[in-house]
Amino acid sequence: MRRILISILFLLPLFSIAETDEGRRIFEGKIIEVLANKKQVPLPGASVFWKNTTEGTATDVNGYFKLDASKKSKVLIVQFVGYKTKEIEEDALIGKDLVIELSPSIELNEVVVSKRRAGTILDRESPIQSQKITGAELCKAACCNLAESFETNASVDVSYADAATGAKSIKLLGLTGKYIEMMTEKNPNFKGLASVYGMVYVPGPWMESIQVSKGVGSVVNGFESITGQINIEYQKPQRSPKLYLNGFTNSMGMSEGNLITGLKFSDKLSTSILAHGQDNNKEIDKNHDDFLDDPMVRQYNFINRWYWKPNKNWITQFGVKFIDEQRIGGQKGFDESKTNDIDNAYRIDIDTRRYEAFAKIGYIFPKNDDRSIALITNFSSHEQNSFYGLRNYDAKQKYLYANLLFQSYIGNLKHKYTAGVSFIYDDFIDNLSRGINNLGSTDRSEKIAGAYAEYTWLPSDDITLQTGLRYDHNSVYGGFITPRLHFRYQFAEGSTLRLAAGSGRRTSNPIAENSFLLASNRTFNIASDLEQEKAWNYGLSVTQYFNLFGQDFTASADFYRTEFQNQVIVDIDKDINQVNFYNLDGQSFANNYQVELKFEPVERLDVTTAIRFSDVKADINDELQKVPYVNRYKGLVNLSYSTNMNIWQFDFTTQINGDMRIPSTAGNSVEYQRREESPAYAVMNAQITKRFRIWEVYVGAENLGNYTQKNPIIAADNPHGENFDASMIWGPIQERKFFLGVRFTLDRDE
């Protein structure tokens, strides 16, 4: 199969359109109503789409929309419940900053009708199976950061990796987050040192949307995507509010504040500042094991970004970001005035500073809107100084990414292509030690130069074929080829089939990516000959849109299989006191099946239900067995109801988690042994939101059923002993907690 795929890719023209904002003809604007006092009021949730197509979007909370030009239609339709529909010819939109005014269709005293904003939007046109999680969906739960943004998503799992540091483990298609390509606005990000805590570096209110795609992605974005891609879009300077404030607190003692402010100097130049502060300095121990239930965290996070469009052909976006975080876990009563030794309390202290700079520059050719060139760059410097009990882990990483791409078409728009070159510099230095004894190091410096081409064929509105191929040369591992293939076929009205196949590679960072295992007394044994991880991923999905009893339904079913040619095995089975890292010798695969149904049984009540089954196995300790900490199945039910004008909103989510294998603790003494298979359990979350004109107040609870893993820390009474382990986590470790938040939004004056 692999040889056939590579042969096909070599024979086909290797070009396609880039998945970046630069180069596509994009229409941006705002939908408003003008009141009798001449005040302009934005209309959130208005439908904006091209006539006689399914290509469209909905306006955000501030009434803004962003929509690609259509090859099928030249008439834009703007609709909003209770307002007159407006049709606008495309020629009337070109070269203008759009402000579209809608008029009420019927004037009613004391009665106002509004349409609800879409939460999750499936991309109907892309050959890659993907969905967009909008700001409306993010507001359904206590979305303090990216790690908490997937509570209502059936595809992505996020859970605690250990019971001491607050590290989160993310999974997609049954495999951990290191096999997902994490991106911020198409810039690969959160690698190496940021792979464990990177998701808490993105505050929820900062995100405009999240795009989640399954399987191998486009070669334009690199070679690392194996199980999927998660791309975060931050709030944009040209659309950000004059002032946005968000305050949040919960019953675990955590409080945080977020600020977004934007300044528009002119139609050509805008800037915005995004600031975040978090503080939790309370030692809370509700299960009475003398360990903190939640780490004490102090975090400061800041972005300044700019948007500059000097003329209709040039677009520039750039900015800087800074993060300073201290994370403290472990036993209560640590005395900072005393030496950190066995006579003091067990403490984990992780001190992080991270700097980023990014830029996107695009140029659209004057006589051809479908031909463009763009440069995407990102630089980060990450430093971590930490200790876990008596072990120190200090590391530094500098990462540079640059991608130069050109996109156009051959003959006509049925044959689109992108070609480009990329460069990555990844300098990684780390050291694990105890006193003067060096316990491990994985220093490396990689320079990766790549070239790629991608071709997209659109013979009709119903068929899209996208093929891509890239070659990269790694200064450490040599050269390699990455092929990708995506196919979309709308075989009937409302019925879409997608196929995908391709390979991916990545370099492992054994200590950094598994630093949560340092919250134990396991020794780290790292083989000296670790190779790059290599895998193939194959996917099949079917999406069906239909109407039943007058209601619209969206049903989807998919199957994905990942096969590893090489994998760095993280073996915690061989010895209860060790973590062994070595190259795969045998098989490793993941099969993932999922069925999802979305519908609206009554007006303004959105229902999402899903069930997923995972079969993930690998040769571990010379035996093909289930990979630990992977649920055999998972179910999701999400209910979201809003009253007219979205004044009140009620959200309820239940996650049903199936059983999973847990590494054996038979080598421990009897009192420190644990079960080898987790039970099935459910976690329920709820939230109520009340909206005023420029205020929102939300209150809710997580883990309503108060289900927790009992005694999650092994040998908590003797953390310096050989049996201590806080990393064997299979279920919730925090009891029921309540939260309260307030949002304030002051829009710009038009």
Side-chain angles (χ1 to χ4, degrees):
M1 174 66 185
R2 299 168 191 156
R3 293 180 179 177
I4 295 173
L5 176 58
I6 293 174
S7 300
I8 292 173
L9 294 174
F10 271 119
L11 292 173
L12 286 171
L14 301 173
F15 307 101
S16 171
I17 190 166
E19 295 180 358
T20 64
D21 286 348
E22 292 83 358
R24 298 197 308 258
R25 200 165 64 180
I26 298 174
F27 297 100
E28 299 182 52
K30 186 175 184 179
I31 311 301
I32 64 167
E33 177 191 3
V34 178
L35 303 179
N37 61 3
K38 306 301 182 183
K39 181 177 176 61
Q40 295 183 356
V41 178
L43 297 178
S47 298
V48 184
F49 59 95
W50 295 106
K51 189 173 183 178
N52 297 324
T53 76
T54 58
E55 303 170 28
T57 186
T59 55
D60 64 15
V61 68
N62 300 310
Y64 286 99
F65 73 91
K66 184 176 181 181
L67 183 63
D68 290 351
S70 173
K71 62 180 182 295
K72 307 174 186 176
S73 174
K74 300 299 180 184
V75 178
L76 189 70
I77 306 293
V78 182
Q79 287 183 342
F80 196 60
V81 176
Y83 292 79
K84 296 178 182 177
T85 298
K86 181 168 285 190
E87 296 189 9
I88 307 171
E89 295 288 338
E90 184 184 88
D91 292 343
L93 304 173
I94 296 175
K96 294 183 179 181
D97 293 324
L98 303 174
V99 178
I100 302 173
E101 179 185 347
L102 294 186
S103 302
S105 56
I106 302 176
E107 294 187 3
L108 298 174
N109 293 327
E110 306 299 330
V111 178
V112 184
V113 182
S114 74
K115 180 178 174 62
R116 192 177 186 187
R117 289 177 286 152
T120 301
I121 301 171
L122 298 177
D123 192 331
R124 297 194 182 195
E125 301 298 318
S126 174
I128 301 174
Q129 186 185 9
S130 59
Q131 57 180 276
K132 178 180 179 180
I133 303 172
T134 68
E137 187 73 14
L138 296 174
C139 288
K140 289 182 178 181
C143 177
C144 296
N145 52 59
L146 178 62
E148 299 174 349
S149 301
F150 301 103
E151 289 185 1
T152 61
N153 188 278
S155 300
V156 182
D157 292 333
V158 180
S159 60
Y160 279 99
D162 67 82
T165 70
K168 295 294 184 70
S169 172
I170 185 172
K171 293 184 179 68
L172 180 63
L173 303 187
L175 294 169
T176 60
K178 59 188 177 184
Y179 301 113
I180 306 170
E181 185 170 30
M182 302 292 296
M183 298 184 293
T184 53
E185 300 188 339
K186 300 300 182 181
N187 269 306
N189 214 331
F190 304 139
K191 301 177 181 300
L193 284 175
S195 60
V196 173
Y197 301 103
M199 289 188 297
V200 302
Y201 298 158
V202 184
W206 288 13
M207 294 183 288
E208 185 178 82
S209 64
I210 306 170
Q211 290 85 45
V212 179
S213 63
K214 292 183 179 181
V216 291
S218 165
V219 295
V220 174
N221 296 321
F223 54 83
E224 292 185 304
S225 171
I226 293 177
T227 60
Q229 295 179 324
I230 295 178
N231 180 60
I232 304 149
E233 292 290 333
Y234 289 119
Q235 298 285 346
K236 303 296 189 293
Q238 64 273 30
R239 296 195 293 271
S240 60
K242 181 186 294 184
L243 180 64
Y244 172 91
L245 297 172
N246 170 255
F248 176 92
T249 186
N250 68 22
S251 56
M252 294 294 290
M254 192 272 277
S255 60
E256 72 168 49
N258 295 280
L259 175 146
I260 302 173
T261 181
L263 180 60
K264 187 174 183 179
F265 297 99
S266 68
D267 292 340
K268 297 180 179 180
L269 182 64
S270 303
T271 187
S272 63
I273 291 175
L274 294 77
H276 167 85
Q278 176 184 341
D279 184 66
N280 179 7
N281 58 8
K282 295 183 178 179
E283 293 188 333
I284 295 179
D285 176 27
K286 293 186 177 181
N287 64 354
H288 308 295
D289 62 358
D290 286 332
F291 272 75
L292 305 185
D293 294 342
D294 206 22
M296 297 184 293
V297 177
R298 172 196 50 78
Q299 183 189 109
Y300 304 110
N301 206 332
F302 172 87
I303 291 181
N304 177 217
R305 58 181 303 165
W306 293 77
Y307 171 86
W308 182 41
K309 187 176 182 180
N311 55 54
K312 65 179 182 179
N313 301 113
W314 284 98
I315 301 175
T316 302
Q317 300 181 58
F318 59 93
V320 293
K321 182 178 182 181
F322 169 70
I323 299 168
D324 185 321
E325 183 187 81
Q326 184 179 32
R327 180 176 296 267
I328 296 174
Q331 285 183 309
K332 297 167 55 181
F334 180 82
D335 191 339
E336 296 185 2
S337 66
K338 295 182 179 180
T339 304
N340 180 28
D341 56 24
I342 60 174
D343 294 323
N344 207 341
Y346 182 93
R347 172 59 59 97
I348 296 174
D349 191 320
I350 304 168
D351 196 0
T352 300
R353 283 178 177 81
R354 180 179 175 88
Y355 305 86
E356 292 184 39
F358 55 90
K360 298 171 72 175
I361 304 171
Y363 176 73
I364 302 173
F365 285 77
K367 296 182 179 180
N368 192 331
D369 290 344
D370 294 298
R371 181 171 294 153
S372 64
I373 189 168
L375 174 66
I376 303 174
T377 63
N378 181 56
F379 172 78
S380 63
S381 175
H382 191 120
E383 182 174 353
Q384 175 180 314
N385 297 293
S386 57
F387 64 85
Y388 298 73
L390 303 182
R391 290 187 290 186
N392 297 307
Y393 181 59
D394 300 322
K396 296 180 180 179
Q397 183 178 19
K398 297 186 185 302
Y399 183 86
L400 172 67
Y401 170 81
N403 186 10
L404 178 66
L405 55 133
F406 173 78
Q407 62 178 17
S408 186
Y409 58 90
I410 304 172
N412 57 56
L413 293 179
K414 292 184 177 182
H415 304 277
K416 300 180 180 181
Y417 69 88
T418 292
V421 292
S422 64
F423 178 76
I424 295 173
Y425 172 71
D426 191 0
D427 185 56
F428 189 93
I429 301 172
D430 70 345
N431 183 60
L432 179 63
S433 63
R434 178 168 178 168
I436 62 173
N437 298 316
N438 186 353
L439 303 179
S441 177
T442 58
D443 296 357
R444 60 177 172 79
S445 182
E446 289 181 317
K447 300 179 183 66
I448 308 168
Y452 59 85
E454 191 174 69
Y455 166 75
T456 302
W457 180 44
L458 302 102
S460 70
D461 292 345
D462 300 329
I463 297 175
T464 306
L465 174 65
Q466 186 180 85
T467 66
L469 189 71
R470 63 178 297 137
Y471 173 81
D472 292 272
H473 186 272
N474 186 303
S475 59
V476 177
Y477 298 101
F480 55 90
I481 293 174
T482 304
R484 304 275 171 86
L485 173 68
H486 298 92
F487 175 72
R488 167 190 165 273
Y489 176 42
Q490 185 174 320
F491 57 90
E493 183 67 28
S495 304
T496 303
L497 168 73
R498 287 181 175 87
L499 302 172
S503 69
R505 294 196 181 214
R506 64 177 303 274
T507 299
S508 175
N509 298 281
I511 303 177
E513 293 168 354
N514 299 278
S515 59
F516 57 89
L517 292 174
L518 292 171
S520 70
N521 282 331
R522 293 175 181 263
T523 59
F524 277 48
N525 300 322
I526 304 172
S528 60
D529 61 343
L530 293 183
E531 300 175 357
Q532 271 195 315
E533 297 189 278
K534 299 178 287 185
W536 284 77
N537 182 278
Y538 311 96
L540 165 67
S541 68
V542 178
T543 305
Q544 178 68 53
Y545 304 91
F546 60 96
N547 186 281
L548 185 64
F549 306 120
Q551 302 296 330
D552 291 327
F553 287 73
T554 301
S556 61
D558 59 59
F559 167 73
Y560 284 87
R561 178 177 174 84
T562 306
E563 294 180 1
F564 282 91
Q565 293 177 299
N566 183 61
Q567 185 178 22
V568 174
I569 298 296
V570 183
D571 186 348
I572 51 179
D573 287 276
K574 185 175 182 179
D575 192 312
I576 193 63
N577 300 123
Q578 297 179 358
V579 186
N580 293 284
F581 300 88
Y582 50 82
N583 294 313
L584 174 68
D585 182 14
Q587 300 182 67
S588 179
F589 61 84
N591 296 324
N592 198 86
Y593 313 79
Q594 181 171 312
V595 178
E596 185 172 353
L597 181 66
K598 292 176 176 286
F599 58 101
E600 187 178 3
V602 297
E603 188 176 2
R604 296 189 297 276
L605 174 62
D606 294 328
V607 179
T608 299
T609 62
I611 184 72
R612 187 181 70 242
F613 296 91
S614 299
D615 178 24
V616 185
K617 294 181 179 178
D619 275 294
I620 303 173
N621 193 21
D622 299 322
E623 179 184 352
L624 182 64
Q625 55 184 315
K626 293 180 180 179
V627 172
Y629 304 118
V630 178
N631 294 108
R632 186 166 58 90
Y633 63 88
K634 180 176 180 177
L636 174 76
V637 178
N638 173 251
L639 308 175
S640 182
Y641 177 78
S642 66
T643 60
N644 192 30
M645 287 296 294
N646 296 325
I647 294 175
W648 287 91
Q649 182 170 325
F650 305 88
D651 295 285
F652 178 82
T653 302
T654 299
Q655 297 179 358
I656 300 98
N657 299 272
D659 56 279
M660 64 174 69
R661 184 177 78 83
I662 304 169
S664 174
T665 54
N668 287 343
S669 54
V670 175
E671 67 268 29
Y672 296 140
Q673 292 181 7
R674 296 290 187 269
R675 64 196 311 157
E676 297 185 9
E677 184 176 284
S678 73
Y681 63 91
V683 175
M684 296 174 288
N685 304 318
Q687 178 177 286
I688 300 173
T689 304
K690 173 68 167 70
R691 296 185 175 93
F692 303 91
R693 188 168 185 83
I694 58 176
W695 292 88
E696 289 185 18
V697 179
Y698 56 99
V699 61
E702 296 178 292
N703 193 10
L704 281 168
N706 206 31
Y707 182 89
T708 59
Q709 178 181 338
K710 304 304 179 185
N711 303 314
I713 300 177
I714 299 175
D717 58 335
N718 185 21
H720 295 292
E722 65 176 4
N723 296 129
F724 171 72
D725 196 337
S727 67
M728 301 191 70
I729 303 303
W730 51 262
I733 58 175
Q734 294 184 357
E735 297 180 0
R736 182 192 303 115
K737 62 181 177 182
F738 301 92
F739 60 86
L740 170 68
V742 179
R743 304 183 185 103
F744 170 82
T745 305
L746 185 62
D747 291 324
R748 292 177 180 172
D749 295 327
E750 296 296 338

